PDB file of all heavy atoms in Angstrom:
ATOM      1  N   ARG B  67       3.578   7.223  24.688  1.00 98.00           N
ATOM      2  CA  ARG B  67       2.666   7.501  25.828  1.00 98.00           C
ATOM      3  C   ARG B  67       3.446   8.361  26.836  1.00 98.00           C
ATOM      4  O   ARG B  67       4.606   8.008  27.305  1.00 98.00           O
ATOM      5  CB  ARG B  67       2.221   6.194  26.442  1.00 98.00           C
ATOM      6  CG  ARG B  67       1.132   6.381  27.587  1.00 98.00           C
ATOM      7  CD  ARG B  67      -0.191   6.771  27.042  1.00 98.00           C
ATOM      8  NE  ARG B  67      -1.201   7.055  28.080  1.00 98.00           N
ATOM      9  CZ  ARG B  67      -2.419   7.525  27.858  1.00 98.00           C
ATOM     10  NH1 ARG B  67      -2.746   7.900  26.676  1.00 98.00           N
ATOM     11  NH2 ARG B  67      -3.258   7.675  28.853  1.00 98.00           N
ATOM     12  N   LYS B  78      -4.655  10.072  33.175  1.00 98.00           N
ATOM     13  CA  LYS B  78      -5.764  10.005  32.192  1.00 98.00           C
ATOM     14  C   LYS B  78      -5.471  10.840  30.943  1.00 98.00           C
ATOM     15  O   LYS B  78      -4.964  11.892  31.038  1.00 98.00           O
ATOM     16  CB  LYS B  78      -7.010  10.628  32.892  1.00 98.00           C
ATOM     17  CG  LYS B  78      -8.320  10.302  32.164  1.00 98.00           C
ATOM     18  CD  LYS B  78      -8.949   8.963  32.404  1.00 98.00           C
ATOM     19  CE  LYS B  78     -10.067   8.697  31.464  1.00 98.00           C
ATOM     20  NZ  LYS B  78      -9.660   8.185  30.086  1.00 98.00           N
ATOM     21  N   GLY B  79      -5.901  10.184  29.813  1.00 98.00           N
ATOM     22  CA  GLY B  79      -5.791  11.087  28.591  1.00 98.00           C
ATOM     23  C   GLY B  79      -5.835  10.238  27.301  1.00 98.00           C
ATOM     24  O   GLY B  79      -5.578   9.011  27.380  1.00 98.00           O
ATOM     25  N   GLY B  80      -6.202  10.911  26.262  1.00 98.00           N
ATOM     26  CA  GLY B  80      -6.502  10.145  25.014  1.00 98.00           C
ATOM     27  C   GLY B  80      -5.384   9.696  24.328  1.00 98.00           C
ATOM     28  O   GLY B  80      -4.126   9.846  24.622  1.00 98.00           O
ATOM     29  N   ILE B  81      -5.673   8.998  23.165  1.00 98.00           N
ATOM     30  CA  ILE B  81      -4.586   8.539  22.219  1.00 98.00           C
ATOM     31  C   ILE B  81      -4.897   9.124  20.775  1.00 98.00           C
ATOM     32  O   ILE B  81      -6.040   9.033  20.317  1.00 98.00           O
ATOM     33  CB  ILE B  81      -4.610   7.039  22.095  1.00 98.00           C
ATOM     34  CG1 ILE B  81      -4.428   6.390  23.481  1.00 98.00           C
ATOM     35  CG2 ILE B  81      -3.540   6.511  21.138  1.00 98.00           C
ATOM     36  CD1 ILE B  81      -4.687   4.887  23.404  1.00 98.00           C
ATOM     37  N   ARG B  82      -3.878   9.693  20.231  1.00 98.00           N
ATOM     38  CA  ARG B  82      -4.115  10.435  18.952  1.00 98.00           C
ATOM     39  C   ARG B  82      -3.469   9.692  17.748  1.00 98.00           C
ATOM     40  O   ARG B  82      -2.339   9.263  17.983  1.00 98.00           O
ATOM     41  CB  ARG B  82      -3.469  11.836  19.095  1.00 98.00           C
ATOM     42  CG  ARG B  82      -3.429  12.679  17.858  1.00 98.00           C
ATOM     43  CD  ARG B  82      -3.061  14.097  18.263  1.00 98.00           C
ATOM     44  NE  ARG B  82      -4.048  14.847  19.014  1.00 98.00           N
ATOM     45  CZ  ARG B  82      -4.122  16.069  19.050  1.00 98.00           C
ATOM     46  NH1 ARG B  82      -3.236  16.932  18.483  1.00 98.00           N
ATOM     47  NH2 ARG B  82      -4.963  16.743  19.902  1.00 98.00           N
ATOM     48  N   LEU B  95       0.301  17.806  25.280  1.00 97.00           N
ATOM     49  CA  LEU B  95      -1.110  17.314  25.453  1.00 97.00           C
ATOM     50  C   LEU B  95      -1.216  16.587  26.889  1.00 97.00           C
ATOM     51  O   LEU B  95      -2.234  16.691  27.502  1.00 97.00           O
ATOM     52  CB  LEU B  95      -1.452  16.372  24.379  1.00 97.00           C
ATOM     53  CG  LEU B  95      -1.676  17.166  23.046  1.00 97.00           C
ATOM     54  CD1 LEU B  95      -1.652  16.091  21.820  1.00 97.00           C
ATOM     55  CD2 LEU B  95      -3.016  17.885  23.015  1.00 97.00           C
ATOM     56  N   MET B  99      -3.572  17.597  30.061  1.00 98.00           N
ATOM     57  CA  MET B  99      -4.575  16.734  30.768  1.00 98.00           C
ATOM     58  C   MET B  99      -4.399  16.917  32.247  1.00 98.00           C
ATOM     59  O   MET B  99      -5.467  16.814  33.002  1.00 98.00           O
ATOM     60  CB  MET B  99      -4.340  15.269  30.298  1.00 98.00           C
ATOM     61  CG  MET B  99      -4.806  14.900  28.909  1.00 98.00           C
ATOM     62  SD  MET B  99      -6.513  15.285  28.458  1.00 98.00           S
ATOM     63  CE  MET B  99      -7.415  14.466  29.757  1.00 98.00           C
ATOM     64  N   LYS B 102      -6.168  20.047  33.129  1.00 98.00           N
ATOM     65  CA  LYS B 102      -7.645  19.962  32.816  1.00 98.00           C
ATOM     66  C   LYS B 102      -8.344  19.219  33.897  1.00 98.00           C
ATOM     67  O   LYS B 102      -9.342  19.662  34.446  1.00 98.00           O
ATOM     68  CB  LYS B 102      -7.807  19.163  31.497  1.00 98.00           C
ATOM     69  CG  LYS B 102      -9.071  19.306  30.796  1.00 98.00           C
ATOM     70  CD  LYS B 102      -9.112  18.349  29.489  1.00 98.00           C
ATOM     71  CE  LYS B 102      -8.183  18.913  28.479  1.00 98.00           C
ATOM     72  NZ  LYS B 102      -8.339  18.093  27.148  1.00 98.00           N
ATOM     73  N   CYS B 103      -7.743  18.101  34.364  1.00 98.00           N
ATOM     74  CA  CYS B 103      -8.421  17.228  35.370  1.00 98.00           C
ATOM     75  C   CYS B 103      -8.383  18.025  36.693  1.00 98.00           C
ATOM     76  O   CYS B 103      -9.364  17.925  37.458  1.00 98.00           O
ATOM     77  CB  CYS B 103      -7.638  15.939  35.559  1.00 98.00           C
ATOM     78  SG  CYS B 103      -7.754  14.880  34.087  1.00 98.00           S
ATOM     79  N   TYR B 110      -7.721  12.601  38.827  1.00 98.00           N
ATOM     80  CA  TYR B 110      -6.813  11.975  37.853  1.00 98.00           C
ATOM     81  C   TYR B 110      -5.583  12.855  37.661  1.00 98.00           C
ATOM     82  O   TYR B 110      -5.619  14.138  37.661  1.00 98.00           O
ATOM     83  CB  TYR B 110      -7.527  11.870  36.483  1.00 98.00           C
ATOM     84  CG  TYR B 110      -8.588  10.863  36.268  1.00 98.00           C
ATOM     85  CD1 TYR B 110      -9.611  11.166  35.463  1.00 98.00           C
ATOM     86  CD2 TYR B 110      -8.329   9.600  36.903  1.00 98.00           C
ATOM     87  CE1 TYR B 110     -10.591  10.138  35.209  1.00 98.00           C
ATOM     88  CE2 TYR B 110      -9.375   8.615  36.620  1.00 98.00           C
ATOM     89  CZ  TYR B 110     -10.443   9.008  35.823  1.00 98.00           C
ATOM     90  OH  TYR B 110     -11.422   7.940  35.570  1.00 98.00           O
ATOM     91  N   ALA B 113      -2.097  12.401  31.231  1.00 98.00           N
ATOM     92  CA  ALA B 113      -1.223  11.578  30.224  1.00 98.00           C
ATOM     93  C   ALA B 113      -1.749  11.827  28.817  1.00 98.00           C
ATOM     94  O   ALA B 113      -2.833  12.328  28.624  1.00 98.00           O
ATOM     95  CB  ALA B 113      -1.231  10.055  30.575  1.00 98.00           C
ATOM     96  N   LYS B 114      -1.031  11.406  27.840  1.00 98.00           N
ATOM     97  CA  LYS B 114      -1.429  11.361  26.457  1.00 98.00           C
ATOM     98  C   LYS B 114      -0.590  10.431  25.717  1.00 98.00           C
ATOM     99  O   LYS B 114       0.490  10.115  25.990  1.00 98.00           O
ATOM    100  CB  LYS B 114      -1.218  12.782  25.763  1.00 98.00           C
ATOM    101  CG  LYS B 114      -2.192  13.002  24.629  1.00 98.00           C
ATOM    102  CD  LYS B 114      -3.485  13.319  25.056  1.00 98.00           C
ATOM    103  CE  LYS B 114      -4.371  13.931  23.996  1.00 98.00           C
ATOM    104  NZ  LYS B 114      -5.576  14.557  24.626  1.00 98.00           N
ATOM    105  N   ILE B 150      -5.189   5.513  32.282  1.00 98.00           N
ATOM    106  CA  ILE B 150      -6.444   5.159  31.608  1.00 98.00           C
ATOM    107  C   ILE B 150      -6.593   5.955  30.241  1.00 98.00           C
ATOM    108  O   ILE B 150      -6.904   7.165  30.365  1.00 98.00           O
ATOM    109  CB  ILE B 150      -7.646   5.464  32.476  1.00 98.00           C
ATOM    110  CG1 ILE B 150      -7.443   4.739  33.883  1.00 98.00           C
ATOM    111  CG2 ILE B 150      -8.941   4.986  31.881  1.00 98.00           C
ATOM    112  CD1 ILE B 150      -7.750   5.660  35.067  1.00 98.00           C
ATOM    113  N   PRO B 151      -6.305   5.331  29.100  1.00 98.00           N
ATOM    114  CA  PRO B 151      -6.526   5.982  27.871  1.00 98.00           C
ATOM    115  C   PRO B 151      -7.890   6.226  27.532  1.00 98.00           C
ATOM    116  O   PRO B 151      -8.851   5.849  28.157  1.00 98.00           O
ATOM    117  CB  PRO B 151      -5.778   5.087  26.875  1.00 98.00           C
ATOM    118  CG  PRO B 151      -5.584   3.821  27.524  1.00 98.00           C
ATOM    119  CD  PRO B 151      -5.820   3.942  29.030  1.00 98.00           C
ATOM    120  N   ALA B 152      -8.115   6.962  26.354  1.00 98.00           N
ATOM    121  CA  ALA B 152      -9.430   7.443  25.886  1.00 98.00           C
ATOM    122  C   ALA B 152      -9.275   7.845  24.419  1.00 98.00           C
ATOM    123  O   ALA B 152      -8.130   7.955  23.944  1.00 98.00           O
ATOM    124  CB  ALA B 152      -9.960   8.606  26.695  1.00 98.00           C
ATOM    125  N   PRO B 153     -10.262   8.205  23.679  1.00 97.00           N
ATOM    126  CA  PRO B 153     -10.155   8.603  22.343  1.00 97.00           C
ATOM    127  C   PRO B 153      -9.519  10.133  22.251  1.00 97.00           C
ATOM    128  O   PRO B 153      -9.668  10.825  23.153  1.00 97.00           O
ATOM    129  CB  PRO B 153     -11.438   8.631  21.764  1.00 97.00           C
ATOM    130  CG  PRO B 153     -12.431   7.900  22.748  1.00 97.00           C
ATOM    131  CD  PRO B 153     -11.776   8.055  24.047  1.00 97.00           C
ATOM    132  N   ASP B 154      -9.006  10.419  21.112  1.00 97.00           N
ATOM    133  CA  ASP B 154      -8.527  11.735  20.801  1.00 97.00           C
ATOM    134  C   ASP B 154      -8.531  11.773  19.273  1.00 97.00           C
ATOM    135  O   ASP B 154      -9.274  10.966  18.601  1.00 97.00           O
ATOM    136  CB  ASP B 154      -7.037  11.981  21.316  1.00 97.00           C
ATOM    137  CG  ASP B 154      -6.844  13.547  21.330  1.00 97.00           C
ATOM    138  OD1 ASP B 154      -7.338  14.164  22.307  1.00 97.00           O
ATOM    139  OD2 ASP B 154      -6.117  14.007  20.451  1.00 97.00           O
ATOM    140  N   MET B 155      -7.931  12.776  18.587  1.00 95.00           N
ATOM    141  CA  MET B 155      -7.977  12.988  17.200  1.00 95.00           C
ATOM    142  C   MET B 155      -7.601  11.593  16.515  1.00 95.00           C
ATOM    143  O   MET B 155      -6.583  10.991  16.802  1.00 95.00           O
ATOM    144  CB  MET B 155      -7.121  14.008  16.709  1.00 95.00           C
ATOM    145  CG  MET B 155      -7.589  15.340  16.591  1.00 95.00           C
ATOM    146  SD  MET B 155      -6.367  16.595  16.450  1.00 95.00           S
ATOM    147  CE  MET B 155      -5.549  16.149  14.949  1.00 95.00           C
ATOM    148  N   THR B 182     -11.584   4.484  28.545  1.00 98.00           N
ATOM    149  CA  THR B 182     -12.936   5.190  28.448  1.00 98.00           C
ATOM    150  C   THR B 182     -13.261   5.607  26.984  1.00 98.00           C
ATOM    151  O   THR B 182     -12.244   5.582  26.153  1.00 98.00           O
ATOM    152  CB  THR B 182     -12.982   6.370  29.402  1.00 98.00           C
ATOM    153  OG1 THR B 182     -12.049   7.324  28.958  1.00 98.00           O
ATOM    154  CG2 THR B 182     -12.826   5.998  30.922  1.00 98.00           C
ATOM    155  N   GLY B 183     -14.420   5.928  26.787  1.00 98.00           N
ATOM    156  CA  GLY B 183     -14.838   6.276  25.384  1.00 98.00           C
ATOM    157  C   GLY B 183     -15.138   5.031  24.659  1.00 98.00           C
ATOM    158  O   GLY B 183     -15.026   4.963  23.354  1.00 98.00           O
ATOM    159  N   ARG B 194     -21.133  10.129  26.565  1.00 97.00           N
ATOM    160  CA  ARG B 194     -19.703  10.338  26.485  1.00 97.00           C
ATOM    161  C   ARG B 194     -19.294  10.874  25.108  1.00 97.00           C
ATOM    162  O   ARG B 194     -18.482  11.783  24.946  1.00 97.00           O
ATOM    163  CB  ARG B 194     -18.851   9.049  26.649  1.00 97.00           C
ATOM    164  CG  ARG B 194     -17.371   9.151  26.465  1.00 97.00           C
ATOM    165  CD  ARG B 194     -16.724  10.089  27.342  1.00 97.00           C
ATOM    166  NE  ARG B 194     -15.348  10.426  27.042  1.00 97.00           N
ATOM    167  CZ  ARG B 194     -14.869  11.315  26.191  1.00 97.00           C
ATOM    168  NH1 ARG B 194     -15.764  12.014  25.537  1.00 97.00           N
ATOM    169  NH2 ARG B 194     -13.568  11.489  26.026  1.00 97.00           N
ATOM    170  N   THR B 198     -17.709  16.316  25.152  1.00 98.00           N
ATOM    171  CA  THR B 198     -16.851  17.529  25.076  1.00 98.00           C
ATOM    172  C   THR B 198     -17.564  18.669  24.325  1.00 98.00           C
ATOM    173  O   THR B 198     -17.416  19.756  24.818  1.00 98.00           O
ATOM    174  CB  THR B 198     -15.582  17.066  24.122  1.00 98.00           C
ATOM    175  OG1 THR B 198     -14.993  15.879  24.631  1.00 98.00           O
ATOM    176  CG2 THR B 198     -14.476  18.094  24.227  1.00 98.00           C
ATOM    177  N   GLY B 324     -12.435  24.614  21.955  1.00 98.00           N
ATOM    178  CA  GLY B 324     -12.869  23.107  21.920  1.00 98.00           C
ATOM    179  C   GLY B 324     -11.626  22.277  21.764  1.00 98.00           C
ATOM    180  O   GLY B 324     -11.632  21.152  22.274  1.00 98.00           O
ATOM    181  N   ASN B 326      -7.494  21.278  21.986  1.00 96.00           N
ATOM    182  CA  ASN B 326      -6.372  21.472  22.864  1.00 96.00           C
ATOM    183  C   ASN B 326      -5.333  22.441  22.184  1.00 96.00           C
ATOM    184  O   ASN B 326      -4.970  22.093  21.089  1.00 96.00           O
ATOM    185  CB  ASN B 326      -5.655  20.154  23.159  1.00 96.00           C
ATOM    186  CG  ASN B 326      -6.626  19.349  24.024  1.00 96.00           C
ATOM    187  OD1 ASN B 326      -7.173  19.736  25.114  1.00 96.00           O
ATOM    188  ND2 ASN B 326      -6.828  18.034  23.651  1.00 96.00           N
ATOM    189  N   ASN B 351     -12.819  22.511  27.185  1.00 98.00           N
ATOM    190  CA  ASN B 351     -13.066  21.138  26.625  1.00 98.00           C
ATOM    191  C   ASN B 351     -12.875  20.012  27.639  1.00 98.00           C
ATOM    192  O   ASN B 351     -12.801  18.787  27.198  1.00 98.00           O
ATOM    193  CB  ASN B 351     -12.137  20.841  25.366  1.00 98.00           C
ATOM    194  CG  ASN B 351     -10.684  20.730  25.691  1.00 98.00           C
ATOM    195  OD1 ASN B 351     -10.315  20.180  26.777  1.00 98.00           O
ATOM    196  ND2 ASN B 351      -9.791  21.320  24.896  1.00 98.00           N
ATOM    197  N   ALA B 352     -13.096  20.349  28.877  1.00 98.00           N
ATOM    198  CA  ALA B 352     -12.967  19.350  29.993  1.00 98.00           C
ATOM    199  C   ALA B 352     -14.144  18.467  30.132  1.00 98.00           C
ATOM    200  O   ALA B 352     -14.130  17.472  30.988  1.00 98.00           O
ATOM    201  CB  ALA B 352     -12.531  20.061  31.237  1.00 98.00           C
ATOM    202  N   GLY B 353     -15.216  18.757  29.368  1.00 98.00           N
ATOM    203  CA  GLY B 353     -16.413  17.943  29.510  1.00 98.00           C
ATOM    204  C   GLY B 353     -16.194  16.442  29.122  1.00 98.00           C
ATOM    205  O   GLY B 353     -16.896  15.555  29.661  1.00 98.00           O
ATOM    206  N   GLY B 354     -15.197  16.313  28.119  1.00 98.00           N
ATOM    207  CA  GLY B 354     -14.944  14.940  27.698  1.00 98.00           C
ATOM    208  C   GLY B 354     -14.313  14.053  28.826  1.00 98.00           C
ATOM    209  O   GLY B 354     -14.856  13.002  29.095  1.00 98.00           O
ATOM    210  N   VAL B 355     -13.293  14.594  29.502  1.00 98.00           N
ATOM    211  CA  VAL B 355     -12.649  13.811  30.503  1.00 98.00           C
ATOM    212  C   VAL B 355     -13.484  13.710  31.754  1.00 98.00           C
ATOM    213  O   VAL B 355     -13.504  12.702  32.394  1.00 98.00           O
ATOM    214  CB  VAL B 355     -11.250  14.253  30.808  1.00 98.00           C
ATOM    215  CG1 VAL B 355     -11.291  15.606  31.599  1.00 98.00           C
ATOM    216  CG2 VAL B 355     -10.409  13.276  31.505  1.00 98.00           C
ATOM    217  N   THR B 356     -14.412  14.664  31.964  1.00 98.00           N
ATOM    218  CA  THR B 356     -15.373  14.540  33.043  1.00 98.00           C
ATOM    219  C   THR B 356     -16.295  13.345  32.811  1.00 98.00           C
ATOM    220  O   THR B 356     -16.445  12.582  33.795  1.00 98.00           O
ATOM    221  CB  THR B 356     -16.192  15.795  33.217  1.00 98.00           C
ATOM    222  OG1 THR B 356     -15.236  16.913  33.316  1.00 98.00           O
ATOM    223  CG2 THR B 356     -17.209  15.807  34.317  1.00 98.00           C
ATOM    224  N   VAL B 357     -16.789  13.218  31.704  1.00 98.00           N
ATOM    225  CA  VAL B 357     -17.680  12.035  31.469  1.00 98.00           C
ATOM    226  C   VAL B 357     -16.824  10.693  31.225  1.00 98.00           C
ATOM    227  O   VAL B 357     -17.428   9.628  31.661  1.00 98.00           O
ATOM    228  CB  VAL B 357     -18.644  12.286  30.306  1.00 98.00           C
ATOM    229  CG1 VAL B 357     -19.565  11.049  30.035  1.00 98.00           C
ATOM    230  CG2 VAL B 357     -19.587  13.458  30.481  1.00 98.00           C
ATOM    231  N   SER B 358     -15.762  10.831  30.899  1.00 98.00           N
ATOM    232  CA  SER B 358     -14.708   9.697  30.976  1.00 98.00           C
ATOM    233  C   SER B 358     -14.579   9.216  32.378  1.00 98.00           C
ATOM    234  O   SER B 358     -14.669   8.002  32.675  1.00 98.00           O
ATOM    235  CB  SER B 358     -13.261   9.965  30.507  1.00 98.00           C
ATOM    236  OG  SER B 358     -13.206   9.899  29.052  1.00 98.00           O
ATOM    237  N   TYR B 359     -14.470  10.186  33.274  1.00 98.00           N
ATOM    238  CA  TYR B 359     -14.399   9.826  34.700  1.00 98.00           C
ATOM    239  C   TYR B 359     -15.714   9.120  35.098  1.00 98.00           C
ATOM    240  O   TYR B 359     -15.665   8.077  35.891  1.00 98.00           O
ATOM    241  CB  TYR B 359     -14.136  11.210  35.494  1.00 98.00           C
ATOM    242  CG  TYR B 359     -14.329  10.942  36.961  1.00 98.00           C
ATOM    243  CD1 TYR B 359     -13.590  10.077  37.733  1.00 98.00           C
ATOM    244  CD2 TYR B 359     -15.213  11.757  37.743  1.00 98.00           C
ATOM    245  CE1 TYR B 359     -13.775   9.925  39.133  1.00 98.00           C
ATOM    246  CE2 TYR B 359     -15.425  11.659  39.110  1.00 98.00           C
ATOM    247  CZ  TYR B 359     -14.674  10.744  39.777  1.00 98.00           C
ATOM    248  OH  TYR B 359     -14.867  10.627  41.118  1.00 98.00           O
TER     249      TYR B 359
HETATM  250  N1  LIG X 501      -8.889  13.301  24.447  1.00 58.07           N
HETATM  251  C1  LIG X 501      -9.794  13.979  25.261  1.00 58.07           C
HETATM  252  C2  LIG X 501      -9.209  15.250  25.858  1.00 58.07           C
HETATM  253  O1  LIG X 501      -8.212  15.745  25.181  1.00 58.07           O
HETATM  254  C3  LIG X 501     -10.456  13.117  26.328  1.00 58.07           C
HETATM  255  C4  LIG X 501      -9.384  12.523  27.315  1.00 58.07           C
HETATM  256  C5  LIG X 501     -10.168  11.509  28.214  1.00 58.07           C
HETATM  257  O2  LIG X 501     -11.353  11.393  28.223  1.00 58.07           O
HETATM  258  O3  LIG X 501      -9.398  10.885  28.980  1.00 58.07           O
HETATM  259  O4  LIG X 501      -9.609  15.799  26.742  1.00 58.07           O
END
Side-chain angles (χ1 to χ4, degrees):
R67 186 74 180 168
K78 187 83 188 82
I81 302 170
R82 178 170 290 198
L95 290 161
M99 286 309 303
K102 198 183 295 189
C103 293
Y110 285 144
K114 201 78 169 199
I150 308 139
D154 196 76
M155 266 166 62
T182 61
R194 177 63 186 85
T198 312
N326 292 310
N351 71 37
V355 74
T356 300
V357 178
S358 273
Y359 168 56

